[in-house]
Amino acid sequence: MLKQLHIKNFTLIDELNLEFDSGFSVITGETGAGKSIMLGALGLLLGQRADTKAIKTGKDRCVIEAHFDLSKYEGIEAFFTEKDIDFDAHDCILRREITSTGKSRAFINDTPAQLSSMRQLGERLVDIHSQHQNLLLSQDDFQLSVVDIIADDRQKLDAYREQYTKYKEVCKKLQQLQEEIRRNQENEDFLRFQHHELEEARLSDGEQEELENEYSMLSHAEEIKGALYEADNALSGDNSVTELLKTASHAIEGIKKVYPDISETAERLEASYIELKDIASDIARYTDQVDFDPSKMEQVGNRLDTIYHLQQKYHVQTVAELIETRDRLAGQLGRMDSSDQLLQELKEEERKRMAACEQSAAELTDIRRQAAKKVEQEMSRRLVPLGIPHVRFEVQVAEKPLCADGHDRVAFLFTANSSTPLQPVSQVASGGEIARVMLSLKAMISGAVRLPTIIFDEIDTGVSGKVAEMMARIMAEMGDCDRQVISITHLPQIAARGSVHYKVYKEETPDGTVSRTRRLTPQERIDEIAQMLSGSDISDAAINNAKELLSKK
C-alpha cells in the first residue's frame, strides 16, 4: 500500500508530505484547489511522460517520491530480482526527478531505473480510476479479464497459453516451409543448373593460388630460362666462379701445414666451394626443368578463366566461397527433395497442436460461462442499491477465432430499464451509470483478488443522495481487510465514510498561489463536511447534518 507521498516544486505545490493509512481515505477540496495536481505527480511515479512545464515557476527541478509497503503483495519480489534491484518488502521507494533542462531521472529503491520498469512496477502498486478509465468497458480484453478473475482460471489459462504458443510456433514453421517450397519451385531449374555448374567445375580449395603461380612461371618461361642459363654459365665450366674458387681452395690447403694461422680461412673457403657447387647443381637442374610450353600455359589459363568467371558470377572472392556456395545449393536441393515429407509431418503436428488448443479452450469456455453467471448475479445485486432498480446485466460469451486467450469474446450487456433491450454497456449507459458499473466491478474483483492501492478520481460524478451513500459504503467495504482505497470526491456522503480525511486547498503566499494538503482533525472534518453541505456560510443545521453523516460510519 501507499505509505507516504512527498512532492516538491510540482506546479502549484511547493512542498507536500502526506502519510496514508490502509482502509478507506477521502480527499476533498474546491474545484481547482489542486487535487488533480496530486494525481499528476503520482502519475509521474507510475511511469507517465514528464513535462518541464510541471516544474513550479522559478524552480530548476521538481521531485516526487512515494514509499510503499509491499509485504501483502504476492510474487512481486520476482520483479526486483529480474531487474537486479534491492528488495525491501516494508519500504519500497519510487522517486522521479525532472529538471528545467528537460532531463528526467527515475529511481526504484535508490537504483536508477528505466521508465518502462517504473511503469511496469507502478501498474502493480496503484490503480488510478479516473473517468477516462471507464473506456475500459468498451474493450473486450478488459471484460474477459474480469470473467477470468471471477473464474479463478489462472492455471488453466496459463496451460492453454503454453499450448497455444507451441501451436503458433508450428504454424510459423509450416508457413516458412510452404513459402520456401513455393520459392524453390519457382527457381528449381535454375538452382539445379547452378549446382551442376559448380559440381562440374570440380573445385578444390587452394588450387587457385597454385594455378596463378604456375601461370606466372609459364608466361615468363623464356625470361626465367635465360637468367638460369646465364647463372649456370657463370657457375659451371672452365674459368667459372666455381672452378676459380676450387683453385683458390687448393692453393690455401697446400700451405696449412707450414702456415697454421690460415687453417680457419681454408675451412671457410672449402665450405664456400662446396656450397657454391651445390648451388650450381640446383641451377643446372632448374635450367633443365624450365621450358616454354604454350599448350600447358593455355590449359592453366583456361582453368583460371573458369574460376574467375564463377567467382564473378556468384559474387565471391575465393574458391573456398565457391565450394561453400556449391554445398549450400546441394543442401537446398536436398531439402527440396525431402520437403514433401517434412510438409506432411508439420501439417500433422499442426493438426495435433490445434486439437489440443481447441480442447483446452473448450475447458476455458465452460469455466468462463459458469463465472459469467456469477458476474451477472453479483453485478445485478450491487447495481440495484446504487439507484438502478430495474437493471439487467448480462455477460455474453461468444465464440471468436482461436487466439492467445482462448476462443471466447466477452461482452457486458446492460440496460437500466426492463423494457429496453440489452446492449453493450459502453454504448447505452450514462456517465453516472458507467461509474457505478465500474465501481461495482472493482468491488467484485477486490473480493476475488488482492488489488493494489485504488484511487477513485471523482467516481461519484452524476450521483447524489442515497446512491452516493451506497457508493461510499462499497468503497469503505473495499478498504477493509488491509486494502487501501482513496477517493477524491465532491460529495459529503462519501467524504463522511472515510477513515481518514485530507483536504486540498489554495493559499496565497509572498511567492504566489500554492496548493496545500493537510490531514483533518475530527473537528475539522465536521467543518469541512458542513461546508460541502451548505457552502461557505456554515449553518448549525449543516454542522448537525455533518455530525450525523460522520456517525454513520
Side-chain angles (χ1 to χ4, degrees):
M1 73 172 193
L2 176 63
K3 297 194 304 179
Q4 184 179 351
L5 178 64
H6 170 75
I7 304 172
K8 185 173 183 179
N9 298 331
F10 184 74
T11 64
L12 295 180
I13 298 176
D14 51 3
E15 188 157 13
L16 170 68
N17 283 289
L18 283 180
E19 293 184 357
F20 294 91
D21 297 333
S22 61
F24 180 42
S25 301
V26 295
I27 300 174
T28 62
E30 295 180 359
T31 301
K35 301 185 294 298
S36 60
I37 296 175
M38 291 177 57
L39 288 182
L42 195 55
L44 288 176
L45 285 180
L46 305 182
Q48 293 180 4
R49 295 187 63 180
D51 188 344
T52 56
K53 294 178 181 177
I55 302 174
K56 185 174 174 60
T57 304
K59 303 299 181 181
D60 60 356
R61 72 171 57 222
C62 71
V63 178
I64 301 101
E65 181 175 291
H67 293 246
F68 291 87
D69 184 343
L70 308 183
S71 57
K72 301 292 178 65
Y73 290 77
E74 296 180 1
I76 201 166
E77 187 174 356
F79 169 86
F80 292 83
T81 302
E82 178 187 348
K83 303 297 183 181
D84 194 24
I85 297 173
D86 292 337
F87 177 70
D88 185 341
H90 299 286
D91 190 23
C92 173
I93 306 171
L94 270 62
R95 187 170 78 255
R96 190 85 180 271
E97 298 178 2
I98 306 165
T99 68
S100 57
T101 60
K103 186 176 181 181
S104 172
R105 298 194 300 170
F107 300 87
I108 301 175
N109 289 342
D110 291 326
T111 299
Q114 294 182 343
L115 203 58
S116 58
S117 297
M118 182 165 276
R119 188 180 302 114
Q120 184 180 350
L121 178 60
E123 289 174 350
R124 301 183 63 177
L125 300 183
V126 180
D127 176 12
I128 299 179
H129 181 94
S130 55
Q131 292 185 25
H132 78 271
Q133 201 184 38
N134 292 333
L135 296 173
L136 289 173
L137 282 174
S138 64
Q139 298 176 12
D140 293 346
D141 56 350
F142 170 75
Q143 298 175 63
L144 179 60
S145 68
V146 170
V147 173
D148 280 332
I149 289 172
I150 300 303
D152 192 20
D153 58 6
R154 172 54 58 186
Q155 288 186 341
K156 282 192 172 295
L157 184 57
D158 287 344
Y160 166 79
R161 284 174 174 164
E162 184 177 351
Q163 289 180 339
Y164 182 76
T165 299
K166 293 178 179 178
Y167 164 66
K168 294 302 289 184
E169 289 173 353
V170 174
C171 289
K172 184 177 180 180
K173 289 180 182 178
L174 180 59
Q175 183 180 5
Q176 290 173 339
L177 178 60
Q178 289 173 329
E179 179 63 22
E180 182 180 346
I181 290 173
R182 184 191 64 77
R183 290 196 308 267
N184 287 343
Q185 287 174 342
E186 293 176 355
N187 301 319
E188 182 176 2
D189 291 342
F190 181 61
L191 293 175
R192 292 194 183 280
F193 168 77
Q194 286 184 315
H195 178 258
H196 179 74
E197 181 180 45
L198 291 172
E199 188 74 23
E200 284 293 303
R202 302 188 183 281
L203 301 163
S204 61
D205 196 10
E207 71 167 314
Q208 182 178 352
E209 291 78 7
E210 295 178 4
L211 289 169
E212 287 174 341
N213 291 335
E214 185 176 2
Y215 188 83
S216 177
M217 184 192 71
L218 289 170
S219 62
H220 295 84
E222 294 184 0
E223 179 183 347
I224 296 170
K225 187 84 172 180
L228 291 172
Y229 184 77
E230 184 178 351
D232 184 47
N233 285 337
L235 292 173
S236 303
D238 297 338
N239 295 321
S240 65
V241 174
T242 307
E243 288 299 320
L244 293 174
L245 189 59
K246 180 180 179 182
T247 301
S249 177
H250 286 168
I252 297 301
E253 186 70 25
I255 62 172
K256 278 174 51 178
K257 292 182 179 180
V258 295
Y259 188 36
D261 291 348
I262 202 70
S263 296
E264 183 179 349
T265 301
E267 291 175 1
R268 291 169 58 195
L269 196 59
E270 177 66 17
S272 297
Y273 167 70
I274 294 171
E275 176 68 14
L276 195 59
K277 187 177 179 181
D278 190 49
I279 291 173
S281 177
D282 286 344
I283 289 177
R285 186 175 68 256
Y286 291 145
T287 302
D288 293 337
Q289 290 177 351
V290 175
D291 196 9
F292 178 65
D293 187 346
S295 61
K296 179 65 173 177
M297 183 175 175
E298 182 181 7
Q299 180 184 352
V300 173
N302 290 338
R303 180 61 175 171
L304 283 172
D305 287 342
T306 298
I307 292 173
Y308 294 150
H309 169 72
L310 292 174
Q311 288 174 342
Q312 184 177 17
K313 181 176 180 178
Y314 292 96
H315 306 290
V316 297
Q317 302 294 323
T318 65
V319 171
E321 290 175 303
L322 284 174
I323 294 173
E324 183 180 341
T325 302
R326 180 198 65 194
D327 295 344
R328 176 176 55 79
L329 289 170
Q332 195 170 350
L333 291 169
R335 288 192 299 274
M336 288 173 61
D337 293 337
S338 61
S339 59
D340 287 344
Q341 180 181 352
L342 180 58
L343 182 64
Q344 292 305 316
E345 291 173 355
L346 279 177
K347 283 184 176 180
E348 178 63 18
E349 186 177 358
E350 181 195 37
R351 187 192 64 76
K352 291 180 179 178
R353 295 286 186 192
M354 177 73 168
C357 284
E358 292 281 5
Q359 180 179 351
S360 184
E363 294 174 2
L364 274 175
T365 298
D366 290 341
I367 297 172
R368 285 167 172 167
R369 290 189 183 280
Q370 295 174 24
K373 296 298 181 184
K374 295 180 182 178
V375 173
E376 291 173 352
Q377 295 169 3
E378 181 72 10
M379 288 298 291
S380 296
R381 183 183 70 80
R382 290 181 177 275
L383 288 170
V384 169
L386 289 176
I388 315 178
H390 303 295
V391 66
R392 283 189 293 152
F393 191 94
E394 182 179 308
V395 180
Q396 183 185 73
V397 182
E399 185 174 318
K400 68 179 180 181
L402 204 65
C403 63
D405 53 26
H407 245 325
D408 307 311
R409 177 181 287 108
V410 171
F412 291 164
L413 305 181
F414 170 89
T415 179
N417 307 299
S418 57
S419 60
T420 304
L422 288 161
Q423 294 186 55
V425 62
S426 61
Q427 298 178 17
V428 298
S430 66
E433 289 168 344
I434 286 181
R436 282 172 271 180
V437 169
M438 285 299 293
L439 177 61
S440 298
L441 284 172
K442 293 205 171 183
M444 178 181 63
I445 292 172
S446 69
V449 295
R450 179 172 292 279
L451 292 175
T453 294
I454 303 178
I455 301 176
F456 289 108
D457 182 17
E458 299 184 1
I459 197 173
D460 49 37
T461 300
V463 301
S464 60
K466 290 187 177 297
V467 173
E469 289 183 14
M470 282 302 305
M471 293 180 74
R473 182 180 300 174
I474 291 172
M475 286 186 276
E477 290 174 355
M478 291 174 66
D480 292 340
C481 303
D482 289 331
R483 297 188 183 96
Q484 185 181 47
V485 177
I486 301 170
S487 177
I488 297 173
T489 181
H490 287 293
L491 296 181
Q493 295 92 336
I494 292 179
R497 275 282 179 176
S499 300
V500 180
H501 190 153
Y502 302 91
K503 180 176 181 178
V504 181
Y505 58 96
K506 284 183 179 179
E507 186 176 89
E508 295 297 329
T509 71
D511 295 328
T513 304
V514 297
S515 179
R516 307 284 194 203
T517 303
R518 73 171 187 272
R519 183 168 177 162
L520 299 182
T521 65
Q523 182 57 49
E524 288 173 334
R525 289 196 70 182
I526 294 173
D527 294 340
E528 173 69 7
I529 293 173
Q531 185 174 355
M532 294 173 72
L533 287 165
S534 64
S536 57
D537 296 328
I538 302 176
S539 64
D540 291 340
I543 292 289
N544 292 331
N545 197 359
K547 290 180 179 179
E548 184 180 354
L549 285 175
L550 286 165
S551 68
K552 292 182 180 179
K553 287 197 302 177

